[in-house]
Amino acid sequence: QLQASGGGLVQPGGSLRLSCAASGFTLDYYAIGWFRQAPGKERDIVAAVWTSTGSTDYADSVKGRFTISRDNTKNTVYLQMNSLKPEDTAIYYCAADRNIIRSSWWRADQYDYWGQGTLVTVSS
């Protein structure tokens, strides 16, 4: 089971840190992705991390502003979001998969396990 948390209301330019905690299994050798879905839009990739190597990938829209990281001792993956913009407003989901190939890191249909989502609202 994946549990996403940390969402909330923040002003433009502010920061939030999302957490994705796994229970019932360890995140070793998994790809963990953060996705987001705004009202009326598709679920899009934000970032991903490979827990065995620490390799990361980011959507172009968040490069330089968001950082994905993992803490294997806490079985948790984080998404640090800085310089937030109104267009970052969405429900954020974390997802995990052990068999995903690197070239498919951005595809939501390649992830088998999903958290429940946490709402991020960027507004003044």
Side-chain angles (χ1 to χ4, degrees):
Q1 185 177 8
L2 296 175
Q3 181 76 31
S5 62
L9 174 64
V10 63
Q11 292 186 342
S15 298
L16 280 175
R17 189 178 78 159
L18 305 184
S19 299
C20 177
S23 60
F25 68 103
T26 61
L27 291 177
D28 295 346
Y29 305 105
Y30 273 81
I32 310 298
W34 280 100
F35 290 79
R36 65 186 181 187
Q37 188 166 20
K41 296 189 176 181
E42 295 184 350
R43 191 171 297 189
D44 292 327
I45 188 70
V46 175
V49 62
W50 272 254
T51 57
S52 59
T53 65
S55 298
T56 58
D57 289 289
Y58 294 92
D60 288 343
S61 58
V62 305
K63 281 180 181 177
R65 300 189 298 124
F66 292 10
T67 303
I68 189 170
S69 63
R70 89 267 194 232
D71 185 335
N72 289 346
T73 64
K74 296 183 178 180
N75 216 27
T76 299
V77 170
Y78 302 99
L79 184 68
Q80 178 66 43
M81 306 186 295
N82 299 329
S83 302
L84 282 161
K85 305 175 181 180
E87 51 263 43
D88 294 318
T89 296
I91 299 175
Y92 284 70
Y93 299 89
C94 61
D97 197 274
R98 196 163 185 174
N99 300 308
I100 193 169
I101 59 174
R102 189 71 184 267
S103 59
S104 296
W105 71 280
W106 54 274
R107 293 179 55 176
D109 63 352
Q110 297 297 298
Y111 291 79
D112 284 341
Y113 305 102
W114 288 83
Q116 84 290 0
T118 185
L119 177 62
V120 172
T121 303
V122 185
S123 175
S124 55

